Amino acid sequence: MADQEKINYNRIAKAIDYIRKNFKEQPSLNNIAESVHLSPHHFQRLFTDWAGVSPKKFMQYISIEYAKQLLKDKQATLSDTAHQTGFSGTSRLHDLFINIEGMTPGEFKKGGENLDINYSFAESPFGHIIVASTSKGICHMAFFEDKREALSRLNSRFPNANYNQVVDIAQQNALFIFQNDWSKLNQIKLHLNGTPFQLKVWEALLKIPMGNLSTYGSIAKMIDKPKASRAIGTAIGSNPVAFIIPCHRVIRSTGGIGGYMWGNTRKSAIIGWEAAKMDI
């Protein structure tokens, strides 16, 4: 990411954090621009270029009231729709077919011994990304601030694997998910290490349409474990593939944004960005 782009992203992230903390007061354009030390005109243009909509409209998307309205108007039919149609919905994400293959005990034995993993660093609308893949698909994707720390976290998941800093087709295809036109994507394959329960939860997350939100309780019902909300939360929190498996689309039943492994400001940014893209 170029220095100016990095500055712009940090300014937008700071503005989103300000909006998230002050949405009840519905801050004006002047107030938000002042929070990131920009003129209202410059900020309006920068924000619109980044999000595709004005700051005022974006604020509507990431406010708690927006989250509650989604749950009230759409969530009631989300589970039924997901069970009946799977990926046949009309949103752009549903035009993809994302296939999860669980790692066998042998593949993960002794910390990934004999497992060849390619990895690379890339940029996204939400900051730096590390993405890693095996011969069977993407095994890791995460946002990061420091390359060494990002690589260390990957290594801690597969301490005995063979690592190569190589950009392969699987990684390139996965990163295309951040583009506006997803119709040209090939199948995205994920090669994940998880318990059968975790894999089931991650598959359920893929059924949440872009621009929609779900709750921990709703996910529990989707996988026929209505009393397992806490375990659901743990499985969601251990999601090894950022953005592609959309754990950012799960919020609290109260409408609160909830936690996110890669930061609540980033989660708010992604929710608003997706909602804005669906409305363009």
Side-chain angles (χ1 to χ4, degrees), residues 12 17 38 60 85 157 196:
I12 297 302
D17 192 44
L38 292 175
Q60 295 172 353
T85 67
R157 294 192 60 231

Side-chain angles (χ1 to χ4, degrees), residues 184-199:
K184 298 178 181 179
L185 286 179
N186 296 318
Q187 183 183 46
I188 295 178
K189 296 181 179 180
L190 305 179
H191 189 208
L192 306 181
N193 173 58
T195 65
F197 180 80
Q198 288 175 320
L199 293 173

Side-chain angles (χ1 to χ4, degrees), residues 1 35 105 107-108 128 155 159 161 166 170 199 208 217 220 227 229 244 250:
M1 186 183 291
S35 75
E107 286 171 323
F108 195 68
H128 305 298
N155 186 262
V166 174
L199 293 173
I208 306 173
K227 297 181 180 180
S229 293
I244 293 178
V250 182

Side-chain angles (χ1 to χ4, degrees), residues 20-276:
R20 184 167 62 86
K21 291 177 178 177
N22 297 279
F23 75 94
K24 289 183 180 179
E25 287 74 35
Q26 291 293 293
S28 67
L29 175 65
N30 287 350
N31 293 144
I32 304 171
E34 185 178 352
S35 75
V36 292
H37 309 294
L38 292 175
S39 70
H41 177 74
H42 185 192
F43 173 71
Q44 173 96 355
R45 184 176 59 188
L46 178 65
F47 196 101
T48 302
D49 287 345
W50 185 88
V53 292
S54 68
K56 181 178 180 180
K57 193 165 187 178
F58 194 92
M59 179 165 57
Q60 295 172 353
Y61 288 128
I62 67 170
S63 70
I64 302 301
E65 288 305 313
Y66 166 73
K68 289 182 178 179
Q69 197 64 39
L70 276 178
L71 292 173
K72 178 181 177 182
D73 292 348
K74 300 179 181 180
Q75 184 59 37
T77 61
L78 179 58
S79 295
D80 290 340
T81 300
H83 280 302
Q84 292 173 13
T85 67
F87 289 95
S88 63
T90 57
S91 80
R92 282 168 286 182
L93 183 57
H94 284 192
D95 291 335
L96 295 174
F97 179 70
I98 300 177
N99 180 50
I100 294 180
E101 180 176 343
M103 291 187 180
T104 66
E107 286 171 323
F108 195 68
K109 186 178 180 180
K110 297 181 181 179
E113 186 177 354
N114 298 323
L115 194 63
D116 292 318
I117 295 179
N118 292 337
Y119 72 92
S120 62
F121 301 102
E123 306 299 333
S124 80
F126 315 108
H128 305 298
I129 283 276
I130 182 173
V131 57
S133 56
T134 70
S135 61
K136 295 183 179 180
I138 300 298
C139 63
H140 181 81
M141 180 182 281
F143 298 105
F144 72 89
E145 302 300 329
D146 180 83
K147 279 188 177 182
R148 286 181 294 182
E149 182 180 350
L151 188 56
S152 176
R153 289 183 178 181
L154 170 61
N155 186 262
S156 69
R157 294 192 60 231
F158 307 99
N160 298 318
N162 302 312
Y163 288 96
N164 300 290
Q165 188 170 357
V166 174
V167 179
D168 58 30
I169 294 176
Q171 295 170 24
Q172 290 177 336
N173 194 42
L175 291 169
F176 277 137
I177 200 168
F178 291 107
Q179 303 299 316
N180 289 338
D181 181 8
W182 298 351
S183 62
K184 298 178 181 179
L185 286 179
N186 296 318
Q187 183 183 46
I188 295 178
K189 296 181 179 180
L190 305 179
H191 189 208
L192 306 181
N193 173 58
T195 65
F197 180 80
Q198 288 175 320
L199 293 173
K200 197 170 185 179
V201 170
W202 299 337
E203 287 173 346
L205 296 180
L206 291 170
K207 295 177 181 178
I208 306 173
M210 182 179 178
N212 284 247
L213 301 176
S214 188
T215 65
Y216 301 102
S218 295
I219 297 297
K221 292 177 182 177
M222 285 178 67
I223 66 169
D224 297 321
K225 300 287 184 181
K227 297 181 180 180
S229 293
R230 181 167 294 183
I232 296 291
T234 300
I236 291 174
S238 61
N239 171 26
V241 182
F243 196 80
I244 293 178
I245 296 179
C247 57
H248 57 272
R249 295 178 191 159
V250 182
I251 64 172
R252 294 172 180 163
S253 58
T254 60
I257 204 72
Y260 189 55
M261 186 188 308
W262 298 285
N264 283 3
T265 295
R266 183 174 277 119
K267 181 175 183 177
S268 296
I270 296 173
I271 290 174
W273 184 82
E274 287 190 335

Side-chain angles (χ1 to χ4, degrees), residues 2-20:
D3 289 343
Q4 188 59 51
E5 290 177 337
K6 188 182 301 183
I7 292 171
N8 289 343
Y9 170 77
N10 289 334
R11 281 173 170 166
I12 297 302
K14 185 177 179 181
I16 288 170
D17 192 44
Y18 177 86
I19 293 169
R20 184 167 62 86

